Amino acid sequence: MKKLICFMLVVGVLMNYGCSSSSENQQKSTKSLIDDSITEDANDISKARELQNSGNPLNWIAGKFKEEWNMETMHDSLETRSIIQSSQRNEQQNRQQQDAIRSQLEQQKTDIIENIFIDQMFQGEKTSQEQINLLSEKSGFTPEKINEIYTNAQSKFLSKSTPKPMNQKICVKYENNYIWSKGYYVDAYLEKGNQINSKVSSLALEENSTYVVIFWNSENVSIIKITQDSISSLEQDGVDLRGIHWRISNSSLCI
C-alpha cells in the first residue's frame, strides 16, 4: 500500500512539474505527507527491531520481515522527496531565468524609447502627450514609466548639448525617504529657464525661474529649480525635474 502511495505521489509531482506557482501549495502538502510517511516508517523499523530482540524466534522472523518492508518503503519515500525537491529547485531556476529575461527586455525597450526622445530633442521637436500614450500602448509600460524615461532622456540630452558649467563650487544635499544626505561639493551654474529653453526647447522650463544645473557625469545632469536668483551661504530649498528635494548653498562648511 505504501509503495502505491509513493508511486502516486511521484506521478502527481511529475504531472505538476512546470506548472504555475499555484502548484506550490500542492507540493508543500505532498512534502508533508511524505515526511509523515518517513517518520511512520522510522517508528515501525524501531518497533520491528524491538521484536527481533525479544528472544522469541517467531517474533524475530516477524520483526525482520517488518524491518525490511519498512526500510524499502522509507527508501521509496526518500526518493520521492528528492524528486520533489529537485522539481522545486528547477522551478525556482526557471522563474529566475524568466525574471532575468523580462528585465533584459524591459531595459532594451527603455533604451529604445529613450533614444527616440533624444533624437526628437536634437531635431527640436517636442513630445506630445499623444506620443507618450502611444509609446505606453506599444511598449506595455505605464504612462508614468514613459514620463520617467522622458525625464532621463532630457538629462542626457542636456548634458550633451549644453556647455559645461563654470567652475562654481556649491554645497548640495538631497532628500531620500525623508532623510537628508550628507553635503556634497559640486560644480554647477545658474541660469534662467528661458536661457536653458533656448538650448533645449523640449524642456519647457519656467522662463523667469532660476535653475541650478549640476553635471554628474557625461550623461546625467540635475536641473534644480530654486526660490532665489542667487546662491548664498544660507541654505535654500530646490526641486529638480524628477521631484527630488534639494538644499543648496555656497557655504564652506558642507556636511
Side-chain angles (χ1 to χ4, degrees), residues 111-162:
D111 293 341
I112 291 171
I113 295 172
E114 192 174 84
N115 288 331
I116 290 173
F117 286 143
I118 291 176
D119 288 342
Q120 286 183 328
M121 293 173 191
F122 271 114
Q123 295 171 14
E125 300 176 0
K126 292 186 178 181
T127 301
S128 66
Q129 188 61 46
E130 182 180 355
Q131 288 176 307
I132 290 177
N133 293 337
L134 180 61
L135 286 170
S136 173
E137 178 183 345
K138 296 297 184 182
S139 66
F141 289 149
T142 63
E144 291 76 17
K145 176 66 176 178
I146 299 296
N147 282 321
E148 179 185 337
I149 297 172
Y150 180 71
T151 301
N152 291 335
Q154 286 179 326
S155 295
K156 290 184 179 181
F157 174 70
L158 185 63
S159 67
K160 295 176 180 179
S161 60
T162 59

Coordinates of all heavy atoms in Angstrom, one line a residue, residues 111-162:
D111 N 15.8 51.6 -23.4 CA 16.9 52.3 -24.2 C 16.3 52.8 -25.6 O 16.7 53.9 -26.0 CB 18.0 51.3 -24.4 CG 18.7 51.0 -23.1 OD1 18.6 51.7 -22.2 OD2 19.4 49.9 -23.1
I112 N 15.5 52.0 -26.2 CA 14.9 52.4 -27.5 C 14.1 53.6 -27.4 O 14.2 54.6 -28.1 CB 14.1 51.2 -28.1 CG1 15.0 50.1 -28.5 CG2 13.3 51.7 -29.3 CD1 14.3 48.8 -28.9
I113 N 13.2 53.6 -26.4 CA 12.3 54.8 -26.2 C 13.1 56.0 -25.8 O 12.8 57.1 -26.3 CB 11.3 54.5 -25.1 CG1 10.3 53.3 -25.5 CG2 10.4 55.7 -24.7 CD1 9.4 52.8 -24.5
E114 N 14.1 55.8 -25.0 CA 15.0 57.0 -24.6 C 15.7 57.6 -25.8 O 15.7 58.8 -25.9 CB 16.0 56.5 -23.5 CG 16.7 57.6 -22.8 CD 17.6 57.1 -21.7 OE1 18.8 56.6 -22.0 OE2 17.2 57.1 -20.6
N115 N 16.2 56.7 -26.7 CA 16.8 57.2 -27.9 C 15.9 57.9 -28.8 O 16.3 58.9 -29.5 CB 17.5 56.0 -28.6 CG 18.7 55.5 -27.9 OD1 19.4 56.3 -27.2 ND2 19.0 54.3 -28.0
I116 N 14.6 57.5 -28.8 CA 13.6 58.2 -29.6 C 13.4 59.6 -29.1 O 13.4 60.5 -29.9 CB 12.3 57.4 -29.6 CG1 12.4 56.1 -30.4 CG2 11.1 58.2 -30.2 CD1 11.1 55.2 -30.2
F117 N 13.3 59.7 -27.8 CA 13.2 61.1 -27.2 C 14.4 61.9 -27.5 O 14.2 63.1 -27.9 CB 12.9 60.9 -25.7 CG 11.6 60.4 -25.3 CD1 11.4 59.6 -24.2 CD2 10.4 60.8 -26.0 CE1 10.2 59.1 -23.8 CE2 9.2 60.4 -25.7 CZ 9.0 59.5 -24.6
I118 N 15.6 61.4 -27.3 CA 16.8 62.2 -27.5 C 16.9 62.6 -29.0 O 17.2 63.8 -29.3 CB 18.0 61.4 -27.1 CG1 18.0 61.2 -25.6 CG2 19.3 62.1 -27.6 CD1 19.2 60.3 -25.1
D119 N 16.5 61.7 -29.9 CA 16.6 62.1 -31.4 C 15.6 63.3 -31.6 O 15.9 64.2 -32.4 CB 16.2 60.9 -32.2 CG 17.3 59.9 -32.3 OD1 18.5 60.2 -31.9 OD2 17.0 58.7 -32.6
Q120 N 14.4 63.2 -31.0 CA 13.4 64.3 -31.2 C 13.9 65.6 -30.7 O 13.7 66.7 -31.2 CB 12.1 63.9 -30.5 CG 11.3 62.9 -31.2 CD 10.0 62.6 -30.5 OE1 9.9 62.7 -29.3 NE2 9.0 62.2 -31.3
M121 N 14.6 65.5 -29.5 CA 15.2 66.7 -28.9 C 16.3 67.4 -29.8 O 16.3 68.6 -29.9 CB 15.7 66.4 -27.5 CG 14.7 66.0 -26.5 SD 15.4 65.4 -24.9 CE 13.9 64.7 -24.1
F122 N 17.1 66.5 -30.4 CA 18.1 67.1 -31.3 C 17.5 67.7 -32.5 O 18.1 68.7 -33.1 CB 19.1 66.0 -31.7 CG 20.3 65.7 -30.8 CD1 20.4 64.6 -30.0 CD2 21.2 66.7 -30.6 CE1 21.4 64.4 -29.2 CE2 22.3 66.6 -29.7 CZ 22.4 65.4 -29.0
Q123 N 16.4 67.2 -32.9 CA 15.7 67.8 -34.1 C 14.8 69.0 -33.7 O 14.1 69.6 -34.5 CB 14.8 66.8 -34.8 CG 15.7 65.6 -35.4 CD 14.8 64.5 -35.9 OE1 13.6 64.6 -36.0 NE2 15.4 63.3 -36.1
G124 N 14.8 69.3 -32.4 CA 14.0 70.5 -31.9 C 12.5 70.2 -31.8 O 11.7 71.1 -31.7
E125 N 12.1 68.9 -31.8 CA 10.7 68.5 -31.8 C 10.3 68.3 -30.3 O 11.1 67.8 -29.5 CB 10.4 67.2 -32.6 CG 10.8 67.4 -34.0 CD 10.6 66.0 -34.8 OE1 10.2 65.1 -34.1 OE2 10.8 66.0 -36.0
K126 N 9.1 68.7 -30.0 CA 8.5 68.4 -28.7 C 7.7 67.2 -28.7 O 7.1 66.8 -29.6 CB 7.7 69.6 -28.2 CG 8.5 70.9 -28.0 CD 7.6 72.0 -27.4 CE 8.4 73.2 -27.1 NZ 7.6 74.3 -26.5
T127 N 7.7 66.5 -27.5 CA 7.0 65.2 -27.4 C 5.6 65.5 -26.8 O 5.5 66.2 -25.8 CB 7.7 64.3 -26.5 OG1 9.0 64.0 -27.0 CG2 6.9 63.0 -26.3
S128 N 4.6 65.1 -27.5 CA 3.2 65.4 -27.1 C 2.7 64.3 -26.2 O 3.3 63.2 -26.1 CB 2.3 65.5 -28.3 OG 2.2 64.2 -29.0
Q129 N 1.6 64.6 -25.5 CA 1.0 63.6 -24.6 C 0.5 62.4 -25.5 O 0.5 61.2 -25.0 CB -0.1 64.2 -23.8 CG -0.7 63.3 -22.7 CD 0.3 62.8 -21.7 OE1 1.1 63.7 -21.2 NE2 0.3 61.5 -21.4
E130 N 0.1 62.7 -26.7 CA -0.4 61.7 -27.6 C 0.7 60.7 -27.9 O 0.4 59.4 -27.9 CB -1.0 62.3 -28.8 CG -1.6 61.3 -29.8 CD -2.1 61.9 -31.1 OE1 -2.1 63.2 -31.2 OE2 -2.5 61.2 -32.0
Q131 N 1.9 61.2 -28.1 CA 3.0 60.3 -28.4 C 3.4 59.4 -27.2 O 3.7 58.2 -27.3 CB 4.3 61.1 -28.8 CG 4.2 61.7 -30.2 CD 5.3 62.6 -30.5 OE1 5.7 63.5 -29.7 NE2 6.0 62.4 -31.6
I132 N 3.3 60.0 -26.0 CA 3.6 59.3 -24.7 C 2.6 58.2 -24.6 O 2.9 57.0 -24.2 CB 3.6 60.2 -23.5 CG1 4.8 61.2 -23.6 CG2 3.6 59.5 -22.2 CD1 4.9 62.2 -22.5
N133 N 1.3 58.5 -24.8 CA 0.3 57.4 -24.7 C 0.5 56.3 -25.7 O 0.2 55.1 -25.4 CB -1.1 58.1 -24.9 CG -1.5 59.0 -23.7 OD1 -0.9 58.9 -22.6 ND2 -2.4 59.9 -24.0
L134 N 0.9 56.7 -26.9 CA 1.1 55.7 -28.0 C 2.3 54.8 -27.6 O 2.2 53.6 -27.7 CB 1.4 56.4 -29.3 CG 1.6 55.5 -30.5 CD1 0.4 54.6 -30.8 CD2 2.0 56.3 -31.8
L135 N 3.4 55.4 -27.1 CA 4.5 54.6 -26.7 C 4.2 53.7 -25.5 O 4.7 52.6 -25.4 CB 5.7 55.6 -26.3 CG 6.4 56.2 -27.4 CD1 7.4 57.3 -26.9 CD2 7.2 55.2 -28.2
S136 N 3.3 54.2 -24.6 CA 2.9 53.4 -23.5 C 2.1 52.2 -24.0 O 2.3 51.0 -23.5 CB 2.0 54.2 -22.6 OG 1.4 53.4 -21.5
E137 N 1.2 52.4 -25.0 CA 0.4 51.3 -25.5 C 1.3 50.3 -26.2 O 1.1 49.1 -26.1 CB -0.6 51.9 -26.5 CG -1.5 50.8 -27.1 CD -2.5 51.5 -28.1 OE1 -2.7 52.7 -28.1 OE2 -3.1 50.7 -28.9
K138 N 2.2 50.7 -27.0 CA 3.1 49.8 -27.8 C 4.1 49.1 -27.0 O 4.4 47.9 -27.2 CB 3.8 50.6 -28.9 CG 2.9 51.2 -29.9 CD 2.1 50.2 -30.7 CE 1.2 50.9 -31.8 NZ 0.4 49.9 -32.5
S139 N 4.6 49.7 -25.9 CA 5.7 49.1 -25.1 C 5.1 48.3 -23.9 O 5.8 47.4 -23.4 CB 6.6 50.2 -24.6 OG 5.9 51.0 -23.6
G140 N 3.9 48.6 -23.5 CA 3.4 47.9 -22.3 C 3.8 48.6 -21.0 O 3.4 48.2 -20.0
F141 N 4.5 49.7 -21.1 CA 4.9 50.5 -20.0 C 3.7 51.4 -19.6 O 2.9 51.8 -20.5 CB 6.1 51.4 -20.2 CG 7.4 50.6 -20.3 CD1 8.4 51.0 -21.1 CD2 7.6 49.4 -19.6 CE1 9.6 50.3 -21.2 CE2 8.8 48.7 -19.6 CZ 9.8 49.2 -20.4
T142 N 3.6 51.8 -18.3 CA 2.6 52.7 -17.9 C 3.0 54.1 -18.4 O 4.2 54.4 -18.6 CB 2.5 52.8 -16.4 OG1 3.7 53.2 -15.8 CG2 2.1 51.4 -15.9
P143 N 2.1 55.1 -18.5 CA 2.4 56.4 -18.9 C 3.4 57.1 -17.9 O 4.3 57.9 -18.3 CB 1.1 57.2 -18.9 CG 0.1 56.1 -19.2 CD 0.6 54.9 -18.5
E144 N 3.3 56.7 -16.6 CA 4.2 57.2 -15.6 C 5.7 56.7 -15.9 O 6.6 57.5 -15.8 CB 3.8 56.7 -14.2 CG 2.5 57.4 -13.7 CD 1.3 56.8 -14.3 OE1 1.4 55.7 -14.9 OE2 0.2 57.4 -14.2
K145 N 5.8 55.5 -16.3 CA 7.1 55.0 -16.7 C 7.7 55.7 -17.9 O 8.9 56.0 -18.0 CB 7.0 53.5 -17.0 CG 8.3 52.8 -17.4 CD 9.4 52.8 -16.3 CE 10.6 52.1 -16.8 NZ 11.7 52.1 -15.8
I146 N 6.8 55.9 -18.9 CA 7.3 56.7 -20.1 C 7.7 58.1 -19.7 O 8.7 58.6 -20.2 CB 6.1 56.7 -21.2 CG1 5.7 55.3 -21.6 CG2 6.6 57.6 -22.4 CD1 6.8 54.5 -22.3
N147 N 7.0 58.7 -18.8 CA 7.4 60.1 -18.4 C 8.7 60.0 -17.7 O 9.6 60.9 -17.8 CB 6.3 60.7 -17.5 CG 5.1 61.2 -18.3 OD1 5.3 61.8 -19.3 ND2 3.9 61.0 -17.8
E148 N 9.0 59.0 -16.9 CA 10.3 58.8 -16.2 C 11.4 58.6 -17.2 O 12.5 59.2 -17.1 CB 10.2 57.6 -15.3 CG 11.5 57.3 -14.5 CD 11.4 56.0 -13.7 OE1 10.3 55.6 -13.4 OE2 12.5 55.4 -13.4
I149 N 11.2 57.8 -18.3 CA 12.2 57.7 -19.3 C 12.4 59.0 -20.0 O 13.5 59.3 -20.4 CB 11.7 56.6 -20.3 CG1 11.6 55.2 -19.6 CG2 12.7 56.5 -21.5 CD1 10.9 54.1 -20.5
Y150 N 11.3 59.8 -20.2 CA 11.5 61.1 -20.9 C 12.3 62.0 -20.1 O 13.2 62.7 -20.6 CB 10.1 61.6 -21.1 CG 10.1 63.0 -21.8 CD1 10.4 63.1 -23.1 CD2 9.7 64.1 -21.1 CE1 10.4 64.3 -23.8 CE2 9.7 65.4 -21.7 CZ 10.1 65.5 -23.0 OH 10.1 66.7 -23.7
T151 N 12.1 62.0 -18.8 CA 12.9 62.9 -17.9 C 14.4 62.5 -17.9 O 15.3 63.3 -18.0 CB 12.4 62.8 -16.4 OG1 11.0 63.2 -16.4 CG2 13.2 63.7 -15.5
N152 N 14.7 61.2 -17.9 CA 16.1 60.7 -18.1 C 16.7 61.1 -19.4 O 17.8 61.5 -19.5 CB 16.1 59.2 -17.9 CG 15.8 58.7 -16.5 OD1 16.0 59.5 -15.5 ND2 15.3 57.5 -16.3
A153 N 15.9 61.0 -20.5 CA 16.3 61.4 -21.8 C 16.7 62.9 -21.8 O 17.7 63.3 -22.4 CB 15.3 61.1 -22.8
Q154 N 15.9 63.7 -21.1 CA 16.1 65.2 -21.1 C 17.5 65.4 -20.4 O 18.3 66.3 -20.9 CB 15.0 65.9 -20.3 CG 13.7 66.0 -21.0 CD 12.7 66.7 -20.2 OE1 12.6 66.5 -18.9 NE2 11.8 67.5 -20.8
S155 N 17.8 64.7 -19.3 CA 19.0 64.9 -18.6 C 20.2 64.6 -19.5 O 21.2 65.3 -19.6 CB 19.1 64.1 -17.4 OG 18.1 64.5 -16.4
K156 N 20.1 63.4 -20.2 CA 21.2 63.0 -21.1 C 21.4 64.0 -22.3 O 22.5 64.3 -22.6 CB 20.9 61.6 -21.6 CG 21.1 60.5 -20.5 CD 20.9 59.1 -21.1 CE 21.0 58.1 -20.0 NZ 20.9 56.7 -20.5
F157 N 20.3 64.4 -22.8 CA 20.4 65.4 -23.9 C 21.0 66.7 -23.5 O 21.8 67.2 -24.2 CB 19.0 65.6 -24.5 CG 18.9 66.6 -25.6 CD1 19.5 66.4 -26.8 CD2 18.4 67.9 -25.3 CE1 19.5 67.4 -27.8 CE2 18.4 68.9 -26.3 CZ 18.9 68.6 -27.6
L158 N 20.6 67.2 -22.3 CA 21.1 68.4 -21.9 C 22.6 68.3 -21.6 O 23.4 69.3 -21.9 CB 20.4 68.9 -20.6 CG 20.7 70.2 -20.0 CD1 20.4 71.3 -21.0 CD2 20.1 70.5 -18.7
S159 N 23.1 67.2 -21.1 CA 24.5 67.1 -20.8 C 25.3 67.0 -22.1 O 26.5 67.4 -22.1 CB 24.7 65.8 -20.0 OG 24.4 64.6 -20.8
K160 N 24.7 66.6 -23.2 CA 25.4 66.5 -24.5 C 25.3 67.8 -25.3 O 26.2 68.1 -26.1 CB 24.8 65.4 -25.3 CG 25.0 64.0 -24.7 CD 24.4 62.9 -25.6 CE 24.6 61.5 -25.0 NZ 23.9 60.5 -25.8
S161 N 24.3 68.6 -25.0 CA 24.0 69.7 -25.9 C 24.3 71.1 -25.3 O 24.2 72.1 -26.0 CB 22.5 69.7 -26.4 OG 21.7 69.8 -25.2
T162 N 24.7 71.2 -24.1 CA 25.0 72.5 -23.4 C 26.4 72.5 -23.0 O 27.1 71.5 -22.8 CB 24.1 72.7 -22.2 OG1 24.3 71.6 -21.3 CG2 22.6 72.7 -22.6

